[in-house]
Amino acid sequence: RDLEKELLDWKGRSLFVWGNGDEEAALSMAHFRKLNAAGMSGAPGSAAFSMIEGANHNFYGQAWRAELLRQSLSFLTGLQGDA
């Protein structure tokens, strides 16, 4: 499976969330911001990018998961107006 190709073909809105406690997060975010600027998710700016303070790669802490859920629900609620 080529996840990057699938994302490049995707034309919907996107939410990308990392924990800044993940050592790969900053480089990954920069990479996906470049892909978005090149047309991933349709128009530049159609993807949202976020870092959760202190969270590790798997969001093991209860507070980190709660914040991930909050951001995800907020994103999905915002999509209701797109329908």
Side-chain angles (χ1 to χ4, degrees), residues 35-55:
L35 289 180
N36 182 242
M40 177 191 75
S41 298
S46 59
F49 299 89
S50 177
M51 285 274 192
I52 295 178
E53 183 66 33

Side-chain angles (χ1 to χ4, degrees), residues 9-73:
D9 292 341
W10 175 250
K11 298 305 176 202
R13 293 189 58 221
S14 305
L15 171 65
F16 294 85
V17 182
W18 292 269
N20 72 352
D22 179 350
E23 63 188 38
E24 298 177 11
L27 290 174
S28 181
M29 179 185 262
H31 177 73
F32 284 102
R33 282 186 183 274
K34 284 182 188 176
L35 289 180
N36 182 242
M40 177 191 75
S41 298
S46 59
F49 299 89
S50 177
M51 285 274 192
I52 295 178
E53 183 66 33
N56 61 21
H57 182 78
N58 293 308
F59 302 93
Y60 281 136
Q62 185 176 1
W64 297 334
R65 288 191 179 189
E67 178 59 16
L68 179 61
L69 178 60
R70 187 196 67 73
Q71 289 189 29
S72 298
L73 289 173

